[in-house]
Amino acid sequence: VRCAPCHQPGAMGPFPLLRAEDFRRRSRQIRQLVISGRMPPWPPDAGYVSFQHDRSLPAEEREALLNWLANGAPDAAMEGPIDRRSSELGPWELGPPDLILRPSPPDELDPGGDDQFRNVVLQNPLDDTVFVRAFDFRPVAPQAVHHMILELDHTPSSRELDQTDPDEGFDGMEIGASTNPIGGQFFGWSPGRRPGFVEPGMAWRLEPGADIVLRLHLLPTGKPEQIQPELGLYFTDEPPRFHPYLLWLTIPELNIPAGVSQRWVQAEKTLSKGAYALSIYPHAHRLAREFRVWATLPDGQQHWLIRISSWDFAWQGEYTFQDPIYLPKGTRITLRIRYD
């Protein structure tokens, strides 16, 4: 269950790991990746903060897996295939969505060149306001999609930019009037991210005429890729009762002198009100090496919010705290990133 979410048809993993024979076929490679700690990917350092849906292997599971592989990965040790996508749920982990949106026709990503940033505009076909309790994103070409950021545009600006581009969507990181956060929440997708429900009472509003914009970071794979992602939305009759606040900590400018491998940058904010921290979404690019965020309470106590000692550009996403963390008024939030 720790391997299958990524290692199955249509998912991020380059090969399936659903049956004992799949493990036998790549036993040596799997052993090396597990021993090195590269798989399963879980960037946060252990022992600092507890998060939901932790993909890391506990010591006893790691030992059991390595022993099983060393003994030839016998079929009897598995209770049967674990291909969730071939179950009654179909390709959607949460079951059939209430609404599926996809661009048409698909865009084509060239086999080579630099990273590309593409914005796909999905028009909302509904005539009534709905409340979204969950979403799922299927990249369809998972090797080519590094991450997606979901935004809403209540103006025609994104649609107009789309119409000026001969292909589906439009290029660039600077875009029209689309907004994120949505309902005070940051929504996106990155490899390994599981679909999930928003917190109770925090469904977000999708109004008629609003366009959904998928901001895609695309990676050439060495062969032509058809880019036609799918977004599945799940509705609820319950309107939002709570409106969370998204606290941004950003580095205003980044200047890394040549030859310097220990360039630390820092940003801080102080809470003007007491708050519960629900989740954290660290984001940095290829030159980052370490990522640290902690809270300093008014009495001087310090609490980690996340620590990643080995930053991996390929694996970044949102982490939901196991339990909400209360931070009183006057708490200082500090972000530090080391660049090379």
Side-chain angles (χ1 to χ4, degrees):
V1 295
R2 299 189 190 275
C3 305
C6 290
H7 286 274
Q8 58 182 290
M12 183 64 187
F15 49 82
L17 289 176
L18 304 172
R19 296 165 175 80
E21 63 186 86
D22 298 332
F23 286 86
R24 287 195 294 269
R25 188 177 297 116
R26 300 180 181 272
S27 176
R28 182 178 178 181
Q29 179 183 9
I30 294 170
R31 284 178 55 83
Q32 292 174 341
L33 293 172
V34 170
I35 291 172
S36 68
R38 291 181 59 194
M39 288 288 156
W42 183 252
D45 294 356
Y48 290 91
V49 190
S50 295
F51 296 106
Q52 298 179 22
H53 312 301
D54 188 334
R55 289 195 304 269
S56 61
L57 275 177
E60 62 275 11
E61 292 186 20
R62 180 173 177 272
E63 183 179 358
L65 174 60
L66 293 174
N67 288 338
W68 179 62
L69 292 171
N71 291 324
D75 290 341
M78 293 188 69
E79 296 179 357
I82 50 176
D83 187 354
R84 293 176 295 102
R85 294 191 190 274
S86 64
S87 70
E88 68 279 1
L89 298 180
W92 301 95
E93 185 172 338
L94 300 180
D98 296 303
L99 177 65
I100 299 175
L101 299 173
R102 65 175 64 86
S104 181
D107 197 7
E108 184 165 300
L109 177 65
D110 292 335
D114 296 328
D115 296 11
Q116 296 185 24
F117 295 89
R118 192 75 180 163
N119 305 285
V120 174
V121 183
L122 304 174
Q123 296 187 27
N124 173 19
L126 304 178
D127 296 325
D128 299 310
T129 296
V130 295
F131 305 110
V132 182
R133 62 186 175 92
F135 78 92
D136 196 358
F137 176 76
R138 299 187 63 232
V140 181
Q143 303 296 324
V145 180
H146 178 267
H147 71 258
M148 177 275 290
I149 297 174
L150 189 153
E151 300 191 349
L152 286 182
D153 194 346
H154 294 89
T155 77
S157 65
S158 295
R159 207 177 307 170
E160 290 171 353
L161 286 169
D162 188 1
Q163 292 169 354
T164 64
D165 194 299
D167 298 321
E168 183 69 26
F170 57 96
D171 285 331
M173 296 183 68
E174 299 297 331
I175 61 176
S178 63
T179 59
N180 188 312
I182 301 170
Q185 302 172 80
F186 183 91
F187 294 119
W189 174 91
S190 55
R193 186 189 189 279
R194 302 285 295 277
F197 300 95
V198 299
E199 295 290 333
M202 295 186 185
W204 52 278
R205 185 188 303 268
L206 178 60
E207 298 174 342
D211 292 330
I212 293 177
V213 181
L214 305 180
R215 301 186 65 177
L216 303 177
H217 178 178
L218 303 175
L219 305 175
T221 64
K223 59 184 179 64
E225 297 281 1
Q226 295 292 309
I227 305 300
Q228 192 176 32
E230 297 180 332
L231 182 72
L233 302 179
Y234 300 81
F235 303 149
T236 177
D237 293 330
E238 180 186 4
R241 295 179 290 113
F242 306 105
H243 300 278
Y245 177 76
L246 183 61
L247 177 69
W248 292 89
L249 280 85
T250 59
I251 306 301
E253 82 177 35
L254 187 59
N255 180 16
I256 309 172
V260 173
S261 62
Q262 299 284 337
R263 184 66 168 185
W264 287 96
V265 296
Q266 182 168 310
E268 292 186 328
K269 283 190 177 180
T270 299
L271 299 184
S272 59
K273 296 181 179 180
Y276 285 95
L278 303 177
S279 65
I280 187 168
Y281 197 123
H283 183 80
H285 285 245
R286 298 182 187 276
L287 299 184
R289 292 297 178 266
E290 296 184 54
F291 202 108
R292 302 177 182 181
V293 185
W294 67 88
T296 304
L297 277 53
D299 63 5
Q301 293 186 63
Q302 291 189 339
H303 294 281
W304 284 100
L305 298 180
I306 196 166
R307 176 167 173 159
I308 300 176
S309 294
S310 182
W311 177 260
D312 189 340
F313 175 70
W315 294 99
Q316 48 188 310
E318 182 178 7
Y319 301 95
T320 301
F321 299 117
Q322 187 65 48
D323 297 299
I325 300 174
Y326 181 68
L327 303 173
K329 176 182 177 180
T331 295
R332 185 174 70 253
I333 310 296
T334 303
L335 159 69
R336 294 199 79 200
I337 309 176
R338 180 174 70 86
Y339 286 88
D340 184 345

